[in-house]
């Protein structure tokens, strides 16, 4: 594609401006990706790899001098091994399509995130996506057994391992996972599958303060053990914003300080529901939680998840700046208070909406400065990232660095680490044509 065919498309999920590039290529196979990359390599042409364009750090955004390589035509699920519990899937396959396909075979791919209807398996691998089930199943890295990637010069790196155990030298696939398209284009992935769980039980709960949230996490971990799949927290202000009339339906009183959506997966529908209800009841009795709503149908369960996943109401603020940080759970409350105080001092009219995959030590903040000041983003970054070091946190939990956070990389990585990353990049992509300027600038 060239010209208006490109500009008719949006930059990304987050940015509706027209997409810009010299050309957009849509290969159908590994060999076509290889051919496209060889040509670009010969000409020293920069290439931006795109999956579902839901990434949160502008890693797949293109400018007019780039060629975009889109995986949108590489959507085949090549193989499902029901005995071994693995699948081989092309990188452009949409996550939800893949989840539904394996579900028809009684299997389960546990990576799950709000962008499931658009994000791709290749994008999930390239960003090492996390999401809502990490507390039990880990991030994308934990689910990948093998992959195929094409280097900048067209070399095919086939690392299509299907086994859990394979200690034969360096595990090269790990380098591509989370490398945000800077080391190679991922064309296929071999993933681990679970058996479809027989039961899924869920509750939305309300709590008076953060100390009770951590107590509740401990209670659920102790009483529900390995069944615990999701433990998603929303600060009261976030909950109220997303359940304003006209947005999501609130299943309970909206005036609580904290809300936690908790979910378990298990093997025995009746026994699991009974156990889950007993655990929620004991949390109420012990006054760890103030209220709990348990859905009576799949529709009601989905409505609870909508409250957590549909944050359109918050995005009505212009701008609403999204952050993704991680830090030890015990430091979260103090950290959020510090950020909120800093914001109020800077912009008294600002709002800060906080939620997160708290069991993973991961918080998301939406910051609405509600101000016309210059450099809102830069100043907001200082307020969010500045205090992280003292709390032992990281500037990116699951979204990656992209171009948006590269200034902050050194906040979470030592100089030696960044230098090693750069030397790996130079080895894999000596001309620097793949996603230039993503994660770091080579020249600096
Ligand atoms: C509503 C919503 C909810 C979200 N929730 C979560 C969440 O809970 N957890 C989470 O981790 N993320 C979340 N995200 C972020 C995003 O969905 C993930 O980062 C996702 O993995 C990106 O996949 P994608 O296919 O959209 O990749 P893109 O956005 O297209 O690309 C992301 C990066 O990967 C590179 N890339 C893409 N495909 C390939 C490939 N085949 N080979 C090499 N490089 C490639 C791109 O160049 C870019 O650097 C959310 C996003 C939205 C919009």
């Amino acid at each position: 594609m060239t010209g208006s065919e490109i500009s008719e498309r949006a930059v990304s999920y987050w940015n509706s401006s027209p997409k810009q590039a010299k050309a957009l290529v849509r290969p159908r196979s590994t060999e076509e990706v290889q051919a496209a990359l060889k040509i670009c390599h010969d000409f020293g042409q920069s290439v931006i790899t795109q999956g579902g364009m839901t990434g949160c750090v502008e890693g797949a955004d293109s400018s007019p001098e780039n060629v975009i390589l889109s995986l949108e035509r590489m959507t085949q699920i090549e193989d499902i091994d029901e005995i071994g519990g693995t699948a081989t899937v092309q990188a452009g396959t949409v996550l939800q399509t893949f989840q539904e396909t394996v579900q028809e075979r009684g299997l389960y791919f546990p990576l799950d995130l709000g962008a499931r209807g658009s994000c791709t398996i290749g994008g999930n691998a390239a960003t090492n996506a996390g999401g809502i089930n990490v507390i039990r199943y880990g991030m994308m890295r934990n689910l990948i057994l093998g992959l195929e990637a094409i280097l900048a010069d067209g070399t095919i790196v086939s690392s299509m391992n299907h086994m859990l155990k394979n200690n034969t030298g360096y595990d090269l696939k790990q380098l591509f996972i989370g490398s945000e398209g800077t080391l190679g284009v991922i064309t296929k992935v071999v993933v681990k599958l679970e058996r479809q769980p027989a039961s899924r039980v869920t509750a939305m709960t309300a709590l008076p303060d953060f100390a009770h949230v951590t107590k509740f996490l401990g209670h659920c971990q102790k009483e529900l053990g390995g069944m615990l799949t999701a433990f998603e927290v929303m600060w009261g202000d976030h909950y109220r914003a997303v359940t304003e009339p006209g947005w999501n339906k609130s299943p309970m009183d909206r005036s609580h300080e904290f809300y936690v959506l908790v979910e378990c997966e298990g093997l025995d529908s009746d026994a699991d529901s009974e156990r889950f209800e007993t655990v929620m009841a004991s949390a109420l009795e012990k006054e760890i939680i103030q209220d709990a709503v348990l859905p009576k149908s799949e529709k009601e369960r989905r409505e609870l998840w909508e409250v957590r996943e549909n944050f359109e109401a918050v995005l009505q603020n212009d701008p609403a700046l999204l952050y993704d940080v991680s830090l030890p759970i015990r430091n979260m409350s103090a950290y959020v208070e510090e950020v909120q105080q800093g914001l109020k001092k800077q912009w008294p009219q600002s709002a800060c909406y906080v939620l997160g995959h708290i069991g993973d030590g991961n918080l998301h903040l939406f910051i609405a400065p509600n101000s016309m000041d210059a450099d809102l983003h830069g100043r907001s970054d200082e307020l969010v990232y500045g205090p992280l070091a003292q709390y032992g946190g990281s500037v990116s939990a699951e979204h990656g660095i992209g171009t948006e956070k590269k200034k902050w990389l050194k906040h979470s990585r030592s100089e030696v680490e960044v230098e090693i990353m750069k030397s790996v990049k130079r080895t894999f992509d000596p001309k620097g044509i793949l996603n230039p300027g993503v994660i770091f600038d080579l020249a600096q």
Side-chain angles (χ1 to χ4, degrees), residues 13-14 48-61 71 91-92 111-116 118-132 139 176 179-182 184-187 308-309 311 322 357 362 364 398-399 402 435 438:
Y13 171 91
W14 302 98
I48 308 294
T49 304
Q50 291 191 344
M53 289 158 293
T54 65
C56 302
V57 288
E58 298 171 3
D61 290 10
L71 276 297
L111 183 85
D112 200 15
L113 45 145
R116 63 182 74 78
S118 309
C119 66
T120 61
I121 294 290
N124 299 152
T127 58
N128 185 25
I132 54 181
M139 299 177 78
F176 296 98
S179 69
E180 302 184 49
T182 57
V185 175
I186 299 168
T187 40
R308 165 61 184 83
E309 291 188 334
F311 43 75
L322 168 62
H357 316 289
N362 182 185
H364 295 308
E398 56 179 11
H399 290 168
N435 280 7
V438 168

Side-chain angles (χ1 to χ4, degrees), residues 132-412:
I132 54 181
N133 295 334
V134 172
I135 193 170
R136 175 153 173 193
Y137 297 103
M139 299 177 78
M140 186 63 170
R141 187 183 298 283
N142 298 63
L143 305 172
I144 296 181
L145 294 173
L147 57 71
E148 177 186 83
I150 320 299
L151 301 186
D153 66 359
T155 303
I156 299 175
V157 182
S158 180
S159 196
M160 298 291 282
N161 170 65
H162 283 71
M163 288 86 68
L164 264 180
K165 292 185 168 176
N166 185 352
N167 281 346
T168 45
Y170 299 155
D171 189 358
L172 293 177
K173 68 173 182 289
Q174 301 296 355
L175 277 174
F176 296 98
I177 302 168
S179 69
E180 302 184 49
T182 57
L183 299 182
V185 175
I186 299 168
T187 40
K188 348 182 147 163
V189 185
V190 182
V191 291
K192 242 185 338 185
L193 300 173
E194 303 285 332
R195 304 291 149 184
Q196 187 65 34
S199 79
R200 192 165 277 129
V201 276
T202 313
M204 180 71 85
T205 59
L207 304 97
D209 53 37
F210 193 77
H212 282 74
V213 173
T214 54
K215 209 167 169 189
F216 186 41
L217 176 62
H219 177 76
C220 291
Q221 284 169 330
K222 179 164 176 273
E223 301 297 331
L224 297 164
M227 280 171 63
L228 185 63
T229 314
F231 193 91
E232 299 283 306
V233 69
M234 287 167 276
W235 265 242
D237 286 349
H238 179 83
Y239 185 91
R240 279 181 282 285
V242 297
T243 54
E244 277 287 334
W247 298 102
N248 302 306
K249 198 165 107 189
S250 176
M252 55 172 52
D253 192 305
R254 298 174 61 236
S255 61
H256 294 282
E257 293 297 326
F258 285 87
Y259 295 83
V260 171
L261 184 60
V262 52
E263 189 162 273
C264 283
E265 289 171 354
L267 297 172
D268 182 331
S269 188
D270 290 342
D272 294 342
S273 298
E274 207 176 299
R275 168 138 204 97
F276 189 73
E277 281 169 31
T278 308
V279 173
M280 292 304 123
S282 80
L284 272 169
E285 261 164 44
K286 290 179 182 166
E287 297 184 355
I288 302 174
I289 58 175
Q290 296 168 306
D291 198 1
V293 170
L294 276 65
K296 289 184 285 303
S297 62
E298 178 56 22
K299 180 174 167 282
E300 284 186 13
R301 176 182 162 269
R302 269 309 334 148
E303 282 170 4
L304 294 188
W305 271 105
E306 279 294 298
V307 175
R308 165 61 184 83
E309 291 188 334
N310 178 0
F311 43 75
E312 277 298 311
V314 168
L315 296 183
Q316 301 309 302
N317 293 281
D318 188 18
L321 306 167
L322 168 62
Y323 291 92
D324 161 53
V325 298
S326 60
L327 69 161
I329 301 171
R330 63 174 186 274
N331 297 337
M332 278 183 178
S333 184
Y335 167 72
V336 170
E337 265 170 44
E338 190 170 335
V339 172
Q340 285 175 333
Q341 278 170 12
L343 279 166
K344 281 288 168 210
K345 212 163 140 200
Q346 177 89 49
W347 300 299
Q349 67 284 22
S350 64
C352 177
Y353 307 102
V354 188
L355 69 161
H357 316 289
I358 187 183
D360 319 330
N362 182 185
L363 288 181
H364 295 308
L365 297 89
F366 282 102
I367 290 183
N370 292 324
S371 158
M372 304 292 279
D373 284 359
D375 192 25
L376 289 177
H377 208 152
R379 287 209 248 164
S380 176
D381 284 358
E382 299 277 350
L383 293 168
V384 174
Y385 298 137
L388 268 180
Q390 87 195 63
Y391 293 109
S394 162
V395 298
S396 177
E398 56 179 11
H399 290 168
I401 295 293
T403 53
E404 197 198 86
K405 292 190 184 181
K406 64 184 166 187
K407 179 179 158 205
W408 292 96
L409 179 64
K410 286 189 177 156
H411 227 66
S412 297

